[in-house]
Amino acid sequence: MRILHQSQGFTTFEQAFEVAKKSNMPVLYSKTMEIESIDPLQFYEAGYSIFNGSRSFWQDPKSELVFAGAGSAKTFYMKDSERFDSLSNQWKSYLKNAVIEKGDAWTGPVILGGFSFDPEKKKSSEWSSFEQGYFQLPAFMLTVDQFGKTFLTVNVECKKGENAVQVWNQMQKQKTALLTKSVSSIKDVNVCSIKEFEPAGWKSSLTSVVEQINRGEIEKVVLARKVKVAFDDKKRSDSVLEKLRDDQSESFIFSFESGDSCFIGATPERLIKKQQNKVLSTCLAGSIARGKTVEEDQQFGNDLLHDEKNLGEHEIVVRMISKSLEDLCSELSVPEQPVLMKMRDIQHLYTPVEGITDRASILEFVKELHPTPALGGTPTTEAMQIIREEEEMDRGFYAAPVGWLNAEGDGEFAVAIRSGLLSGEYAYLYAGCGVVKDSDAESEYQETLIKLRPMVRAVGGTIS
């Protein structure tokens, strides 16, 4: 990997083609430059006419880092159960001969995407575009950092036999179009129907799992379900993103397009963040509705903080995440008690876990942490087997790691709850709940309705 800190202009681009010619392999040329401020969502929308089907978006809960990608310089697919190692190997190999020019900017090339929840689950047709893992290196990536600075990273795959001048001119033409295109209004698409898949059967499965827990066969299992939303035309991810950004700004907001499909959502749950030698994971388990008044909301929150069932569910997650990080960190800090994380529709028990590490890549942490007890269960192996048996659906990327990774191995991944798959004229939306010994089927079903509301609302529908 050749990182050039001083701008060398077009000659640097030609250098990448020379490397490609000598190695007889595609070579990444990546250049990052600071530009005038532009709304990342506007940039995302501007990419629709040129790069529809290969756009990406990421925004953290404090809007300290926002990525908007248009086009794909390189797409990485993982097709088997070793999806974390596969991405790590592919990314390292791809960067080996890369020519990276980024001046004083920290970003450089970044890949965005996610992994499947369970590679052993038979894949359903709606998830066929995403394989077991799917990451894009955007051809054009807009970055807004915590200081409000805006950067544009251009990524080009240089290949032997291509004309450098022609590729350069095409790149400049596309860049100009993205940065100057006025965004047109998005056609309003109406919801025709919202279909639930046998809620009675789901409740029956949950009751069966509770019986297994009470027999001491397992400690916790997370059961999820989905609803199918039908529209009168294809639903664009742009409009859903805009709604999520307005309604769920305190969440991780993401969108990853793959052809006619798009995995999109606004999740409150961080899996892992790595910045040099510092890592941060968060435990989010145990939840209750928001109150209709300030007093009721405070009472609900206080009830949650003292509820034995929810505290027990949360303790399982804290214990397992801390144990998973122990071997990867030289230092670990875990608060003794959880606090509340309040979202628009729901409030959760929340505990941050911080550590110091010498590990090179965030993917080592992703591999170790997934699936967390908050989305799988414990013991993990037994819980995953019950999920395969009791859930008829394929979760796809729901409840799995989504996020970004840079050339230095740093990045951030969230757990993709409050999410859904846009596919043509349909959307598949997902929600789950942690099943423990005191779980009640009807109460857990009502909890999934609360958790479905943000995504149902984002696509233009309502659910009781």
Side-chain angles (χ1 to χ4, degrees):
M1 184 168 57
R2 299 163 172 81
I3 300 180
L4 307 173
H5 293 282
Q6 297 299 321
S7 175
Q8 298 180 25
F10 183 60
T11 57
T12 308
F13 189 63
E14 290 179 318
Q15 179 185 342
F17 275 92
E18 284 300 312
V19 176
K21 182 178 179 180
K22 291 177 181 178
S23 65
N24 201 28
M25 296 285 289
V27 169
L28 169 66
Y29 169 78
S30 179
K31 180 174 181 177
T32 301
M33 64 212 82
E34 187 171 357
I35 62 172
E36 291 184 6
S37 177
I38 181 174
D39 182 349
L41 187 54
Q42 179 183 331
F43 182 86
Y44 182 92
E45 292 176 352
Y48 177 76
S49 60
I50 314 172
F51 298 113
N52 180 36
S54 59
R55 295 177 297 166
S56 50
F57 189 91
W58 174 270
Q59 177 178 307
D60 69 24
K62 295 182 179 179
S63 297
E64 292 181 343
L65 184 62
V66 187
F67 294 127
S72 178
K74 176 72 174 180
T75 303
F76 299 88
Y77 292 99
M78 290 103 257
K79 299 180 181 290
D80 56 33
S81 60
E82 301 301 320
R83 54 209 188 282
F84 308 117
D85 291 337
S86 175
L87 178 63
S88 180
N89 294 334
Q90 288 184 57
W91 185 226
K92 288 177 183 176
S93 176
Y94 192 69
L95 291 171
K96 187 176 181 181
N97 291 320
V99 176
I100 300 174
E101 183 183 355
K102 59 180 185 177
D104 295 327
W106 65 270
T107 52
V110 168
I111 52 175
L112 304 99
F115 299 96
S116 64
F117 177 78
D118 181 7
E120 294 187 28
K121 184 76 174 183
K122 183 179 178 181
K123 187 168 289 296
S124 58
S125 58
E126 64 260 28
W127 284 104
S128 59
S129 298
F130 288 92
E131 300 292 347
Q132 301 298 345
Y134 175 85
F135 281 76
Q136 286 182 349
L137 172 66
F140 300 91
M141 187 184 76
L142 189 81
T143 302
V144 180
D145 68 12
Q146 60 182 320
F147 305 109
K149 291 185 176 181
T150 303
F151 299 90
L152 181 68
T153 300
V154 179
N155 298 303
V156 180
E157 189 173 79
C158 304
K159 300 175 182 177
K160 180 181 179 179
E162 289 185 335
N163 185 292
V165 175
Q166 291 179 354
V167 174
W168 176 272
N169 290 339
Q170 175 69 9
M171 177 186 72
Q172 296 299 320
K173 187 184 300 184
Q174 291 174 334
K175 182 180 77 171
T176 300
L178 281 170
L179 296 178
T180 60
K181 183 176 176 60
S182 58
V183 178
S184 57
S185 60
I186 300 173
K187 178 185 176 182
D188 191 25
V189 176
N190 300 308
V191 172
C192 299
S193 65
I194 300 178
K195 175 185 177 182
E196 292 194 59
F197 292 86
E198 298 187 12
W202 185 84
K203 294 178 191 177
S204 177
S205 291
L206 192 145
T207 300
S208 173
V209 171
V210 172
E211 291 173 354
Q212 294 179 63
I213 293 171
N214 289 334
R215 291 196 298 266
E217 297 174 12
I218 195 165
E219 190 173 5
K220 175 187 176 182
V221 178
V222 178
L223 286 185
R225 66 189 194 92
K226 70 178 178 181
V227 298
K228 183 179 182 180
V229 182
F231 306 103
D232 60 4
D233 202 346
K234 182 177 179 179
K235 187 75 173 180
R236 280 178 54 173
S237 61
D238 316 57
S239 62
V240 181
L241 264 183
E242 186 172 4
K243 184 68 173 175
L244 289 174
R245 195 172 70 163
D246 290 343
D247 288 356
Q248 304 291 328
S249 59
E250 70 275 33
S251 295
F252 292 95
I253 300 172
F254 61 87
S255 175
F256 310 117
E257 291 186 335
S258 179
D260 289 334
S261 298
C262 178
F263 185 52
I264 191 167
T267 174
E269 187 162 355
R270 173 186 285 111
L271 180 65
I272 190 73
K273 178 181 181 180
K274 179 180 179 293
Q275 188 172 7
Q276 296 178 333
N277 69 333
K278 295 180 180 180
V279 295
L280 169 65
S281 184
T282 53
C283 308
L284 206 67
S287 55
I288 198 168
R290 296 298 304 269
K292 295 180 180 179
T293 65
V294 173
E295 292 77 14
E296 186 181 53
D297 193 62
Q298 289 176 342
Q299 183 60 53
F300 283 1
N302 188 60
D303 290 345
L304 180 60
L305 287 169
H306 295 87
D307 182 76
E308 184 177 342
K309 180 259 183 185
N310 281 289
L311 286 170
E313 181 183 343
H314 187 79
E315 191 276 331
I316 292 171
V317 177
V318 174
R319 172 168 27 102
M320 296 300 291
I321 286 183
S322 300
K323 184 179 179 182
S324 296
L325 291 179
E326 281 178 356
D327 292 339
L328 297 173
C329 294
S330 57
E331 298 178 25
L332 207 61
S333 174
V334 186
E336 292 185 2
Q337 300 293 330
V339 295
L340 294 174
M341 175 183 282
K342 294 178 178 283
M343 317 300 291
R344 173 170 171 170
D345 299 283
I346 197 167
Q347 44 192 323
H348 301 278
L349 294 175
Y350 165 83
T351 298
V353 179
E354 297 177 280
I356 302 296
T357 186
D358 59 359
R359 301 288 173 153
S361 174
I362 191 174
L363 291 175
E364 295 183 63
F365 291 87
V366 175
K367 179 180 179 180
E368 184 66 27
L369 288 169
H370 178 75
T372 71
L375 277 306
T378 185
T380 302
T381 301
E382 290 81 355
M384 292 293 285
Q385 186 56 41
I386 290 175
I387 291 170
R388 293 181 192 118
E389 294 169 356
E390 297 291 345
E391 286 184 8
E392 295 184 2
M393 69 175 186
D394 171 21
R395 291 189 182 188
F397 280 23
Y398 166 73
V402 295
W404 62 272
L405 170 68
N406 68 13
E408 285 74 36
D410 292 342
E412 186 163 28
F413 280 79
V415 182
I417 55 176
R418 316 292 190 272
S419 59
L421 179 71
L422 303 178
S423 182
E425 297 176 359
Y426 299 96
Y428 302 86
L429 310 179
Y430 303 83
C433 59
V435 184
V436 292
K437 63 180 181 179
D438 297 322
S439 292
D440 171 75
E442 181 60 32
S443 296
E444 302 295 356
Y445 170 75
Q446 293 299 324
E447 182 177 312
T448 63
L449 290 177
I450 295 173
K451 291 176 176 177
L452 282 166
R453 284 177 191 166
M455 286 305 300
V456 172
R457 190 166 55 237
V459 301
T462 58
I463 193 167
S464 58

